[in-house]
Amino acid sequence: MKIAIIGTGGVGGYFGAKLAQAGHDVTFLARGKHLQAMQTNGLTVKSINGDLKLDKVNITDKIRAIGPVDLVMVCVKAWQVKETAAELKAIVTENTLVLPMQNGVLAAEELAEHLPQQNILGGLCRIISKIEAPGVINHFGVEPTIIFGELDNTQTDRVQQLQQTLEQAGITAKATTNIQAELWKKFIGICVSGLLAVTRSTYDQVLEVPQTRQLMVELLTEIYTLSQRIGISIEPDLVANIMFSFESLPPNSTASLTRDVWEGKPSEIEYQNGTVVRLAQKYNVAVPVNRFVYFCILPMENRARM
């Protein structure tokens, strides 16, 4: 399979390396020192599931140079999807699958502004990973998983074939017939990232203080309530299940948005708590904790984008 990895960060670097190791024709998109390091030394993945090293990789800093592909895995940050989508037209054919892997619930909609709807799947991933150094990806938490499905929730051959491709590469994969519910379940949990950023604390540090633990529950409950107002089909014990999953994270775990805010970088805040605030206003749902988190981070976000 000919595959384009658009964005070789913690997500794209890990999953792309697994697919390349399995023998697929994978081309990575990267820039700067990360690109230079991979051109010289290949790609190294450090993982709690076992390390791997690709001595040589196909890599470029121009999407057009990749050429037509069977699968595009869009692994850029959520706020970069809009600026990337138009460029993807150069490598998308009638039969190309486009799989977004962003946090949030807007990626497929934004891709569809520039690409044919029939090419686009709904998708998400679960992994805690990052660029440790140029040319080096570190996966240090959570079983790497990709969940995806047709946007109309039909069961199709191409979705089943993609699941087989991912599984044969050693990737846990789940084809779903309710991708909207899966997206929202992840979305609800990931929005805690902003609370970690505001409190300058890791998951376990927030959980061990009763007051901030309660804030975490309230933040999650607000978004769950919003999902029900919108009509998303999610199990009623989701908040409890998310809290349980946080308890099992490795000590000192953080999220990518959290680290970006701490480091003064542009973040996905508009696609996480910002999206909650805007949808809550549209559907008339009170989300005071999410509003507080979003508005606290907004000045830092504005400075990071100056």
Side-chain angles (χ1 to χ4, degrees), residues 174-238:
K174 175 186 175 184
T176 177
T177 53
N178 192 346
I179 188 60
Q180 291 78 20
E182 296 294 343
L183 286 167
W184 270 85
K185 284 192 281 189
K186 182 184 180 185
F187 177 58
I188 292 170
I190 200 69
C191 284
V192 164
S193 307
L195 181 62
L196 303 187
V198 169
T199 58
R200 300 198 66 82
S201 302
T202 61
Y203 282 98
D204 52 316
Q205 290 166 344
V206 170
L207 287 167
E208 71 185 8
V209 177
Q211 292 85 352
T212 51
R213 183 189 187 96
Q214 182 59 33
L215 277 177
M216 185 181 279
V217 172
E218 290 172 7
L219 181 148
L220 296 171
T221 302
E222 289 175 2
I223 312 174
Y224 175 78
T225 301
L226 174 62
S227 76
Q228 298 310 284
R229 181 70 60 86
I230 292 172
I232 306 298
S233 178
I234 302 176
E235 59 271 19
D237 58 351
L238 178 69

Side-chain angles (χ1 to χ4, degrees), residues 52 74 91 137 210 216 261 263 281:
L52 70 91
V74 185
I91 64 172
I137 303 298
M216 185 181 279
V261 173
E263 294 167 14
Q281 184 173 9

Side-chain angles (χ1 to χ4, degrees), residues 6 15 27 77 87 101 112 120 122 143 145 154-155 165 185 199 204 208 212 222 224 251 262 275 286 306:
I6 308 301
F15 290 115
T27 301
K77 296 286 189 178
E87 296 183 64
M101 309 272 276
I120 303 167
E143 176 62 27
T145 303
T154 56
Q155 186 74 271
T165 297
K185 284 192 281 189
T199 58
D204 52 316
E208 71 185 8
T212 51
E222 289 175 2
Y224 175 78
W262 289 352
T275 297
M306 290 178 63

Side-chain angles (χ1 to χ4, degrees), residues 81-93:
V81 170
K82 279 189 176 183
E83 66 188 54
T84 303
E87 296 183 64
L88 293 177
K89 289 189 287 188
I91 64 172
V92 171
T93 71

